[in-house]
Amino acid sequence: MNNAEILRDLLYAANSDNPFDGLVRQMARQCAGSAVIFDTDHAVISSAGSAPKILIRDNLVEIEESPTPVPIGRWLVLAGRVGVRSQNYFVALANQDREHLENISAAIFEALATILGTVASIDGTSLAQRAVSSVKTLQDLEIGILVSQEPSYWRRLEQFGYAPFSNLQIIICEASKSHEARERSVKNALKAIRRYTDDRPILVAESKLDSWQFLVPEGPLVAELAKMLEDFFITAISEPFVSLSMYPDMYRATKIALRHAKNNARRGTYPKANLVYAGAMNPVDWMVSVSVDRLDRNVLMRYGETLRNDTELLESLVEFLSFDLDIKNAARSLNVHPNTLRYRMQKVERSLGSSLSDPWVIANLCLGFYDELRSRQQELSG
């Protein structure tokens, strides 16, 4: 049997309902013995013939490293490694005739590598086309589509495996600048995420350097993807929505939630608060996260700015607010008499020209001293 015939027969064998079973049976016939395919963890995927596959598995490392057949019982075994994309497989051929095994094995391994390499190339091309289409679809949705265009875009999503007119959620993540995880760990996590999304109804786009956007059907896929992201990325997840014309608004809301998660990381609450759901944000967190430019921040911090010049007064106010306006508990935390704290709060009222019993004053203080309050609350909860 020449090389062309070996390749032809293996190609026919691979064109079956279970390609691994077809290939392993044909390889066993070609080597006139046995064949076994193992995965990366040396688990048996498929086998044919009577050779002791468990003993072969137990000695697979030695067999794969040996240039000559390795005796296993009354069998002689050769093994080779082949790969499809990032997945490696080990193929073992066994025969009791050393000469025949040595003569045929190289041709079988070469033909198998050719077949799997072709499969990988086709698969890679398909994945590349999917990636380009995924980015283009997300860009269109981010810019915005008309309500009348929704049916055509749902048909496009169906090609990726989405159920039409079902709830979706946007996930946006960024690699944390403050996290101690090494760059290699982040890259490995990204590889795992890409493999996870390849064969699932999930659109993926890299928005910018170290920032990714996903469109995921509501349900288990959201939870699974969030779990994969939580250790290495700052992540925000939108509320569920079904109308694709709402995508720009939902995307903006998710970006605001991501900004809140990044603020948490900057204050040192990472990784506890590195995942934020847009629908769970309170109004104060939302307003602060929406205020992105310097003018916005200046307007917020302008309220009560004279208090920033009095460290003792500011500390007392933050403690008073952190303990839910409870004088006794706040005074105990500051290690001062309650009357002392009451006096200080009166000084705060004179400085503000307003009463601390006014809910609008409390709301403005929470916005103006947001960072100080959040940092203190983190200290108290930690």
Side-chain angles (χ1 to χ4, degrees), residues 52-80:
K53 56 180 178 288
I54 302 303
L55 288 177
I56 294 174
R57 181 199 64 192
D58 293 342
N59 295 274
L60 190 57
V61 174
E62 177 190 352
I63 298 170
E64 199 258 332
E65 292 176 350
S66 175
T68 59
V70 174
I72 301 293
R74 58 192 179 89
W75 295 84
L76 296 164
V77 185
L78 280 170

Side-chain angles (χ1 to χ4, degrees), residues 139-201:
Q139 286 176 340
D140 289 348
L141 293 173
E142 190 178 330
I143 292 170
I145 64 171
L146 300 173
V147 174
S148 59
Q149 294 176 292
E150 288 196 25
S152 65
Y153 274 85
W154 272 114
R155 286 193 292 272
R156 188 184 298 186
L157 291 181
E158 279 188 87
Q159 297 175 2
F160 290 91
Y162 290 80
F165 301 100
S166 57
N167 277 342
L168 304 170
Q169 287 180 269
I170 299 170
I171 298 179
I172 304 177
C173 69
E174 288 188 11
S176 171
K177 303 297 188 297
S178 61
H179 192 240
E180 296 178 355
R182 299 188 180 188
E183 184 179 350
R184 183 176 179 181
S185 298
V186 173
K187 288 181 178 179
N188 289 339
L190 279 175
K191 287 181 181 178
I193 291 166
R194 289 190 181 106
R195 286 197 299 270
Y196 177 82
T197 59
D198 280 347
D199 57 354
R200 289 173 172 82

Side-chain angles (χ1 to χ4, degrees), residues 72-90:
I72 301 293
R74 58 192 179 89
W75 295 84
L76 296 164
V77 185
L78 280 170
R81 183 187 306 216
V82 294
V84 179
R85 294 175 58 211
S86 59
Q87 179 66 51
N88 286 319
Y89 300 96
F90 298 92

Side-chain angles (χ1 to χ4, degrees), residues 80 89 116 136 143 177-178 205-206 228 240 243 287 318 358 381:
Y89 300 96
L116 295 180
K136 178 65 169 61
I143 292 170
K177 303 297 188 297
S178 61
E206 186 172 354
M228 297 178 73
S243 176
M287 289 302 299
V318 169
D358 185 339
S381 63

Side-chain angles (χ1 to χ4, degrees), residues 138 141 157 162 168-170 201-203 214-217 241 247:
L138 287 176
L141 293 173
L157 291 181
Y162 290 80
L168 304 170
Q169 287 180 269
I170 299 170
I202 300 176
L203 296 189
F214 306 89
L215 182 62
V216 190
F241 65 100
Y247 196 95

Side-chain angles (χ1 to χ4, degrees), residues 5 26 58 88 93 120 138 192 197 215 282 302 318 355 375:
E5 291 172 330
Q26 184 58 37
D58 293 342
N88 286 319
L93 303 176
L138 287 176
T197 59
L215 182 62
N282 63 52
R302 190 182 303 154
V318 169
S355 171
S375 296

